[in-house]
Amino acid sequence: LYTDLLAREFPAELEEARGIADGSGVPLDEILALNCRYEILKYQPKECTTGVVLPVVSANKRSTYLIQNWDYRPWVERHAVILSIDDENGTHIIGVTEAGQLVRNGMNNWGVGLCANNLTSVFDTGEIGAPVTFIRRKALNCRSFSALCDTVRKNKRGVSCNFMLASSDGRAVDMEATPGGVFEVCPSRGLLTHANHMVAGAAYCTNRGTKFRDRVLRQSLEAAAGSLDLPAIQQALRNHETFPGAPDTYPEADCIEAVCSHVPHGNYDEDKTWKTISSSIYHLDAGVAYICKGCPCEGEYVQYTV
């Protein structure tokens, strides 16, 4: 269903998908289904927390960080991979993806980066529109912040998705992109955070969930404002939002607004719960990514350079 649109609007990205199919020996239809899964299986979101730390609140007053905890079904962690792309035309991308997908979040050597969150809105129609995985991949080819923003804004959509965008020169914006329009959230006091509830377009949001992880992440970052460096940001992404009695119940997937999300105790259905699959910190002005597979409270961030 998406092939004609992709051939017309995303020819380079479609060719890359063909390359993944050829290289893996998997039929192209299956690769396209994986890359269009967001649109095909749209449901109430509980996944991903994103943010930006701007120079004014960084420890050295020069650094811009784009950050994300990617939450999804536990079984996806077994298929999560680090992506390194050299397009042989001067662009190098480092990011995170699920094996077979073009990209989920990342940064490039031109100093721009993109992360994304699930959203639902009253405008979601399910009609054929640009798949968000293809938008993300095309956007990460951009060489400027303005081009990055234009790439996200201009697509015809069938469902909603949130895009957190930032650049090494200290600019950032969050775009709540829906079929009914793009609602933009700007940084406040040097910080910008988002999860799965619309902010600028709150009147049109259909997510009735109670896990406002964007607020929890912002509070953690605000507590260290002015001294935010890599260790402080890592600590914020490990936040469990504990409360009295939590040591006896944690980790229970739906009991707290944890930025670092774990599976429940005991037996659970992998298709009905969520956990943090990876945690990413993109130090845009330094050209360095720090990525941890799984819950960041349990793993180590590994450094990658663009």
Side-chain angles (χ1 to χ4, degrees):
L1 294 176
Y2 289 90
T3 305
D4 290 344
L5 181 149
L6 294 174
R8 184 174 64 253
E9 303 291 340
F10 299 88
E13 292 73 28
L14 179 57
E15 187 63 23
E16 189 168 307
R18 286 196 179 97
I20 293 172
D22 291 343
S24 63
V26 175
L28 178 61
D29 286 350
E30 294 184 20
I31 295 298
L32 291 181
L34 179 62
N35 281 277
C36 298
R37 182 179 63 199
Y38 181 87
E39 288 72 24
I40 296 169
L41 300 180
K42 191 67 173 173
Y43 42 70
Q44 290 291 344
K46 295 182 181 179
E47 56 176 289
C48 301
T49 311
T50 57
V52 173
V53 173
L54 295 180
V56 67
V57 291
S58 70
N60 62 13
K61 301 300 182 286
R62 298 189 304 274
S63 293
T64 301
Y65 299 93
L66 172 67
I67 63 179
Q68 175 166 25
N69 273 7
W70 168 28
D71 299 343
Y72 203 60
R73 302 304 189 191
W75 57 265
V76 174
E77 184 178 343
R78 300 191 287 272
H79 309 288
V81 296
I82 304 297
L83 194 66
S84 177
I85 300 173
D86 183 348
D87 73 352
E88 299 184 343
N89 290 310
T91 298
H92 183 211
I93 298 167
I94 290 290
V96 174
T97 194
E98 185 178 342
Q101 286 190 336
L102 299 181
V103 72
R104 295 195 66 88
N105 60 69
M107 65 178 289
N108 67 25
N109 59 310
W110 302 104
V112 299
L114 174 151
C115 295
N117 315 58
N118 197 335
L119 279 186
T120 59
S121 77
V122 298
F123 302 113
D124 293 348
T125 63
E127 295 178 1
I128 300 301
V132 296
T133 301
F134 282 80
I135 296 172
R136 291 187 292 230
R137 177 63 188 87
K138 187 173 186 176
L140 283 172
N141 274 342
C142 293
R143 300 190 176 196
S144 69
F145 183 67
S146 59
L148 180 74
C149 293
D150 287 345
T151 299
V152 172
R153 282 193 190 103
K154 68 181 183 180
N155 295 281
K156 178 183 181 295
R157 312 170 202 281
V159 296
S160 303
C161 186
N162 189 73
F163 296 87
M164 182 72 69
L165 313 175
S167 64
S168 59
D169 59 358
R171 289 186 287 174
V173 67
D174 184 89
M175 294 188 180
E176 298 170 341
T178 80
V182 177
F183 304 89
E184 300 189 7
V185 186
C186 295
S188 172
R189 300 189 301 278
L191 296 171
L192 181 58
T193 60
H194 208 285
N196 305 122
H197 295 81
M198 296 178 72
V199 178
Y204 309 106
C205 185
T206 56
N207 181 14
R208 305 307 178 195
T210 58
K211 298 185 68 152
F212 290 86
R213 286 167 280 103
D214 55 329
R215 300 177 187 176
V216 175
L217 178 59
R218 183 178 184 92
Q219 290 167 0
S220 298
L221 294 172
E222 284 181 336
S227 58
L228 284 165
D229 55 10
L230 181 63
I233 294 170
Q234 289 174 339
Q235 189 60 31
L237 291 170
R238 291 170 175 142
N239 181 283
H240 291 142
E241 184 62 7
T242 55
F243 57 90
D248 297 325
T249 60
Y250 183 80
E252 295 289 353
D254 292 317
C255 71
I256 50 179
E257 297 176 344
V259 173
C260 178
S261 183
H262 292 247
V263 297
H265 288 298
N267 296 325
Y268 61 91
D269 186 340
E270 281 200 330
D271 290 323
K272 293 182 179 180
T273 191
W274 307 83
K275 79 176 297 288
T276 298
I277 304 303
S278 71
S279 182
S280 303
I281 301 172
Y282 298 108
H283 190 171
L284 296 177
D285 54 293
V288 179
Y290 302 89
I291 301 172
C292 175
K293 187 173 183 178
C295 294
C297 67
E298 299 174 336
E300 295 184 4
Y301 285 87
V302 179
Q303 179 176 324
Y304 303 86
T305 303
V306 292

